[in-house]
């Protein structure tokens, strides 16, 4: 194979692949990238079996020959650092015969004592008289899942989602994913893309949920019309419903790609493969396939749907400012403090309090209440880190007159922090309380 490309574009494509060979793996092929020249493009494929990434670089005028090669991705990236960003470089994959000493270990290993030559695969990167040679592998050694052109799966049925919307939903809902691989159903995000009916016809909705058992988040958005766009809505395409747990590594990579795609106002195609065992995302020049966990995810949305007392409506900007200012003082003193929400009977003041290591109580008034007040004494205690993370996920979502609802049946039950504002369909976060005598 031969391909003439711009060095900066190939370097960016390799960076976008997010190559991260598994440290404990004995398979060298998982650290390799597959280079395929066809259709006037240099296509790059990589996989670790949990995650497959496909991207491409357009060829420029110069030497070109269709074919494929397999080489170490990290070594290729380091080699490209020797070239200026705008340099035209030639990437050439070929085989060559190397003489073998009949008595050498290489000859014994290959069994080619008679021919006294060995066939080696090489990838050469060159510009002018400068040449860098990289060891390569037989192209057919690349995993089958890496060699498939996954874009063919989007040809007939796929959901169309705005990259900006998908990034916002992922960012607000996946901060509490578990990384404990002993609980695989929690080690990732539960993604639901489905067709639902309403009074005006079918619509497409997106919900993403995650939890680590101590807190949780679930965010839902209406994307648009099914099949044919409705007035004021977006045509979201037609596809089978997606209800899959996407693994942690796939979610983290997806957020990075979505953040970049959102700036370009791009659209993403999403499809379910192999009966729900994999989920594919097509983002402009890059496509990824992520393994889905075959297990049951907790039905968090049922908890969020319950409207319970006591509940308080708090201006999120006031609450955020109060907790952050207290947390800064507590952090400076090296404390892992807790946040207390207290309200005495007959009084309308709600305070957020935090203790430092010396037992000093810091108090901030958060009584700028816009919603319903609890009828009796209120006493909730939360891990201040969980509170700050929930507030951050809700931050910037409201105007000043929109409110945040916190509800729980009692001081030991899960609290539900809900978002209620324009365009918010079902946005809530769950924070488990602490025992006050342990805080």
């Amino acid at each position: 194979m031969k391909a003439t490309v711009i060095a900066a574009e190939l370097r960016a494509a390799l960076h976008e692949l997010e190559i991260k060979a598994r440290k404990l793996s004995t398979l060298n092929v998982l650290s390799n990238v597959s280079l395929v020249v066809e259709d006037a493009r240099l296509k790059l494929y990589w996989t670790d079996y949990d995650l497959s990434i496909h991207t491409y670089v357009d060829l420029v005028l110069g030497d070109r020959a269709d074919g494929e090669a397999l080489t170490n991705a990290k070594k290729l990236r380091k080699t490209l650092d020797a070239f200026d960003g705008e340099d035209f470089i030639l990437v050439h994959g070929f085989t060559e015969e190397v003489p073998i000493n009949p008595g050498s270990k290489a000859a014994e290993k290959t069994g080619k004592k008679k021919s006294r030559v060995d066939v080696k695969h090489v990838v050469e990167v060159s510009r002018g008289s400068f040449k860098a040679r990289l060891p390569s592998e037989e192209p057919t050694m690349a995993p089958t899942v890496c060699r498939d052109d996954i874009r063919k799966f989007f040809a007939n049925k796929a959901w169309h989602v705005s990259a900006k919307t998908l990034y916002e939903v992922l960012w607000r809902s996946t901060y509490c994913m578990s990384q404990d691989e002993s609980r695989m159903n929690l080690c990732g995000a539960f993604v639901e893309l489905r067709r639902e009916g309403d009074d005006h016809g079918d619509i497409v909705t997106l919900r993403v949920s995650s939890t680590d058992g101590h807190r949780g988040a679930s965010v839902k958005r209406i994307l648009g019309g099914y099949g044919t766009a409705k007035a004021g809505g977006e045509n979201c395409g037609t596809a089978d419903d997606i209800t899959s747990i996407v693994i942690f590594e796939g979610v983290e990579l997806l957020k990075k790609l979505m953040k970049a795609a959102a700036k370009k106002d791009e659209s993403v195609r999403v499809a379910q493969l192999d009966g729900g065992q994999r989920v594919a995302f097509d983002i402009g020049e890059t496509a990824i396939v992520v393994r889905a966990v075959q297990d049951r995810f907790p039905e968090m949305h049922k908890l969020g749907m319950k409207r319970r007392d006591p509940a308080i409506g708090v201006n999120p900007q006031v609450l955020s400012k109060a907790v952050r200012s207290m947390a800064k003082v507590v952090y400076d003193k090296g404390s892992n403090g807790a946040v207390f929400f207290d309200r005495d009977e007959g009084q309308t003041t709600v305070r957020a309090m935090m203790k430092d290591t010396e037992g000093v109580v810091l108090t901030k008034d958060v009584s700028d209440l816009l919603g319903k007040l609890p009828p009796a004494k209120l006493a909730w205690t939360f891990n201040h880190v969980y509170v700050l993370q929930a507030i951050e996920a809700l931050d910037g979502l409201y105007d000043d007159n929109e409110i945040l609802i916190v509800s729980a049946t009692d001081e030991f039950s899960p609290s539900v922090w809900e978002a209620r504002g324009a365009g918010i369909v079902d946005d809530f976060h769950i924070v488990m309380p602490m025992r006050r005598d342990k805080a």
Side-chain angles (χ1 to χ4, degrees), residues 326-340:
M326 288 190 295
K328 184 179 185 303
V329 177
V330 172
Y331 277 133
D332 291 342
K333 293 187 177 183
S335 171
N336 293 320
V339 176
F340 302 80

Side-chain angles (χ1 to χ4, degrees), residues 27-88:
L27 298 176
N28 292 330
V29 71
L30 297 186
S31 63
N32 291 339
V33 59
S34 228
L35 307 174
V36 180
V37 178
E38 62 180 5
D39 302 329
R41 288 175 174 172
L42 173 60
K43 300 180 180 180
L44 297 90
Y45 302 132
W46 174 82
T47 186
D48 66 355
Y49 292 106
D50 283 338
L51 185 65
S52 300
I53 312 172
H54 298 191
T55 188
Y56 66 86
V57 176
D58 289 325
L59 302 184
V60 295
L61 294 178
D63 289 347
R64 169 193 164 188
D66 289 354
E68 55 185 312
L70 186 66
T71 190
N72 185 279
K74 292 182 180 179
K75 291 181 179 179
L76 180 57
R77 283 185 61 184
K78 289 181 180 179
T79 302
L80 293 174
D81 291 338
F83 299 93
D84 293 331
E86 299 304 318
D87 281 349
F88 284 16

Side-chain angles (χ1 to χ4, degrees), residues 272-346:
Q272 187 168 260
L273 313 179
D274 303 332
Q277 295 185 26
R278 295 187 297 164
V279 182
F281 300 85
D282 185 13
I283 314 126
E285 298 177 354
T286 304
I288 66 174
V289 177
V290 185
R291 179 176 64 84
V293 178
Q294 303 302 302
D295 206 338
R296 185 175 180 180
F297 192 81
E299 296 180 337
M300 293 173 47
H301 60 281
K302 291 186 177 180
L303 181 61
M305 291 170 59
K306 297 178 180 179
R307 301 292 182 258
R308 299 167 298 182
D309 291 329
I312 58 174
V314 182
N315 185 308
Q317 283 79 15
V318 173
L319 180 60
S320 175
K321 184 177 180 180
V323 177
R324 289 179 190 279
S325 62
M326 288 190 295
K328 184 179 185 303
V329 177
V330 172
Y331 277 133
D332 291 342
K333 293 187 177 183
S335 171
N336 293 320
V339 176
F340 302 80
F341 288 86
D342 286 298
R343 176 182 182 268
D344 297 329
E345 291 187 62

Side-chain angles (χ1 to χ4, degrees), residues 156-332:
N156 298 322
K157 287 189 175 183
W159 297 116
H160 298 263
V161 185
S162 164
K164 184 177 181 180
T165 300
L166 184 54
Y167 173 69
E168 180 204 355
V169 172
L170 288 172
W171 179 77
R172 295 191 185 282
S173 63
T174 59
Y175 65 91
C176 54
M177 284 189 299
S178 172
Q179 299 185 45
D180 182 2
E181 293 189 356
S182 66
R183 300 186 297 174
M184 290 303 297
N185 63 324
L186 304 184
C187 192
F190 185 50
V191 179
E192 295 179 279
L193 252 173
R194 62 171 68 237
R195 175 183 181 181
E196 295 183 7
D198 66 3
D199 296 337
H200 306 287
D202 289 341
I203 58 174
V204 179
T205 61
L206 168 67
R207 178 194 291 275
V208 179
S209 307
S210 67
T211 181
D212 62 1
H214 301 288
R215 62 261 169 89
S218 184
V219 176
K220 181 180 178 180
R221 295 290 184 269
I222 296 177
L223 301 180
Y226 177 81
T228 303
K230 301 186 299 181
E234 181 184 355
N235 187 342
C236 296
T238 59
D240 297 329
D241 289 350
I242 296 176
T243 54
S244 300
I245 303 174
V246 179
I247 61 172
F248 178 87
E249 293 87 350
V251 174
E252 290 299 306
L253 175 59
L254 194 58
K255 284 195 289 187
K256 293 179 182 179
L257 296 176
M258 289 301 101
K259 185 176 182 180
K263 295 179 181 179
K264 303 176 184 178
D265 199 23
E266 294 182 348
S267 179
V268 183
R269 294 188 296 174
V270 187
Q272 187 168 260
L273 313 179
D274 303 332
Q277 295 185 26
R278 295 187 297 164
V279 182
F281 300 85
D282 185 13
I283 314 126
E285 298 177 354
T286 304
I288 66 174
V289 177
V290 185
R291 179 176 64 84
V293 178
Q294 303 302 302
D295 206 338
R296 185 175 180 180
F297 192 81
E299 296 180 337
M300 293 173 47
H301 60 281
K302 291 186 177 180
L303 181 61
M305 291 170 59
K306 297 178 180 179
R307 301 292 182 258
R308 299 167 298 182
D309 291 329
I312 58 174
V314 182
N315 185 308
Q317 283 79 15
V318 173
L319 180 60
S320 175
K321 184 177 180 180
V323 177
R324 289 179 190 279
S325 62
M326 288 190 295
K328 184 179 185 303
V329 177
V330 172
Y331 277 133
D332 291 342

